[in-house]
Amino acid sequence: MNPLDTYSRAAQRSAGEIIGVYSTSFGWACRTLPADTRRAIASIYALVRVADETVDGAGAGAGLGPAGVRAELDRLEQETENALTTGYSTNLVVHAFARTARRHAIGPDLTRPFFASMRADITGQPSAASELDEYIHGSAEVVGLMCLRVFLSLPGTARQRTAELEAGARRLGAAFQKVNFLRDLSADQQDLGRVYLPGTAAGEFTDDVKSAALEDIRADLSAASETLPLLDPGARRAVGLAHALFSALVDRLEAAPAATIARQRLRVGTAQKLLIAVRVFAAAARDRSRA
C-alpha cells in the first residue's frame, strides 16, 4: 500500500477519536452521514477542537501562560496553512484536515478568521457588538461554511442555490455558538474570565436578558431550518439532528431561571437525545417514502 495512504488513514482515525471524546451531540449527528462525508466532517471538527481546547484550558493545564498558548496557536495555524499548500503535515489532525480542505475547496478565507477568533479568546472577550459579530463569524459561522463545502459535493445538494445554503450555514453556526455562550456561562466567567453576550456578566444576567438572547437564537435556528431541504438527504438528516438537539437545549435554557444558568451547565439527557434522534430519522424516512 502507498505509504501516504496508510499515513492518511491513520490521520483520519485520529481525527475521528476526537469527536468521540469531546462531543456526544456532534458525534451522533456525524454517524448519520455517508462514510466519506463523515470522515471529512470529523477532520474539520478535530482541527477546530484542538485549537479551541488549546485556548480553553489545555494549554494552561500544561503550564503555558498566555504567550505560550498564543505561540502554540500560531504554530498550529502555520502548520495548517502549510498543509493546505502541500497536502501533508506531521501533525495527524492537521494532515487529516488538509486532505479534506484540499478536496473541498476550504482555504485560508475560512481558516484565518477561525484562528483570529481563537486568538481573541487568549487576549479577552469581545468588547463591542461589532467585535462579537466578528468573533462569532470566525469561531462558528466559518465552521458551518467548511461543513457546507463538504456537503456541496453530495449529489442531492442544491448547488445552484449555494448562496442560500451559505446563509443558512452561517445562521446555524451562529445559533450553536450563542447557545454555547449561555450553556457555558458559569465556566466561561468563573474559570476563564470571559463574558461574551451583553448583560451576562456576574450580577447582570436576568430573565429578561436570557429571554432576549434566546429569541435571537431561535431566529437563527428558524432561518437555518429553511435551508435544510436544499441539502442532500444524507447531510439533511445529520444537520437536522444537530439542529433538533440544540433546539432541545434551547428549550431547557428557556425553562431554567437565569440564576440557575449562571451557576450550572445545563444539558440534554441521553434518553431525550435518543428520542430526538428517533423522531428525526422517522421524519427522514417519511420524506424518502414520499419522494
Side-chain angles (χ1 to χ4, degrees), residues 41-112:
I41 298 300
S43 70
I44 293 170
Y45 179 89
L47 179 70
V48 168
R49 194 74 202 205
V50 166
D52 193 50
E53 290 301 315
T54 298
V55 301
D56 277 358
L64 300 179
V69 171
R70 170 68 180 258
E72 290 297 328
L73 191 65
D74 289 348
R75 186 177 298 112
L76 181 60
E77 181 176 20
Q78 188 59 58
E79 288 174 353
T80 300
E81 293 218 2
N82 289 344
L84 290 176
T85 300
T86 66
Y88 180 80
S89 175
T90 56
N91 181 319
L92 288 173
V93 167
V94 172
H95 181 82
F97 174 82
R99 295 268 291 187
T100 292
R102 285 160 61 90
R103 191 175 301 120
H104 297 286
I106 298 169
D109 60 314
L110 297 180
T111 59
R112 288 175 183 170

Side-chain angles (χ1 to χ4, degrees), residues 62-269:
L64 300 179
V69 171
R70 170 68 180 258
E72 290 297 328
L73 191 65
D74 289 348
R75 186 177 298 112
L76 181 60
E77 181 176 20
Q78 188 59 58
E79 288 174 353
T80 300
E81 293 218 2
N82 289 344
L84 290 176
T85 300
T86 66
Y88 180 80
S89 175
T90 56
N91 181 319
L92 288 173
V93 167
V94 172
H95 181 82
F97 174 82
R99 295 268 291 187
T100 292
R102 285 160 61 90
R103 191 175 301 120
H104 297 286
I106 298 169
D109 60 314
L110 297 180
T111 59
R112 288 175 183 170
F114 169 72
F115 280 103
S117 287
M118 295 301 97
R119 274 189 284 274
D121 278 335
I122 302 171
T123 58
Q125 67 275 2
S127 59
S130 59
E131 291 181 9
L132 179 60
D133 289 343
E134 185 176 356
Y135 176 85
I136 291 173
H137 173 69
S139 64
E141 291 180 5
V142 299
V143 179
L145 292 172
M146 290 180 197
C147 293
L148 175 60
R149 291 192 183 180
V150 174
F151 297 151
L152 287 171
S153 68
L154 295 172
T157 297
R159 287 186 287 274
Q160 74 277 15
R161 299 175 68 177
T162 296
E164 294 171 65
L165 283 162
E166 288 178 343
R170 291 183 64 167
R171 294 293 291 271
L172 189 60
F176 289 176
Q177 182 64 286
K178 293 169 189 174
V179 169
N180 287 336
F181 287 157
L182 291 181
R183 180 185 61 179
D184 299 333
L185 198 64
S186 175
D188 281 341
Q189 293 184 16
Q190 296 177 21
D191 300 337
L192 300 173
R194 299 175 190 162
V195 178
Y196 291 103
L197 297 176
T200 60
E204 296 180 0
F205 189 52
T206 65
D207 287 322
D208 287 341
V209 171
K210 181 199 77 170
S211 295
L214 291 175
E215 182 179 358
D216 180 50
I217 291 168
R218 289 194 186 279
D220 283 334
L221 289 171
S222 177
S225 69
E226 293 178 5
T227 63
L228 288 180
L230 303 180
L231 292 171
D232 179 270
R236 188 189 315 151
R237 183 173 58 246
V239 177
L241 176 55
H243 185 288
L245 291 171
F246 270 83
S247 295
L249 183 52
V250 170
D251 291 341
R252 284 224 61 194
L253 291 165
E254 189 164 52
T260 299
I261 297 171
R263 67 172 181 268
Q264 70 182 64
R265 190 178 193 268
L266 300 182
R267 60 185 298 274
V268 175

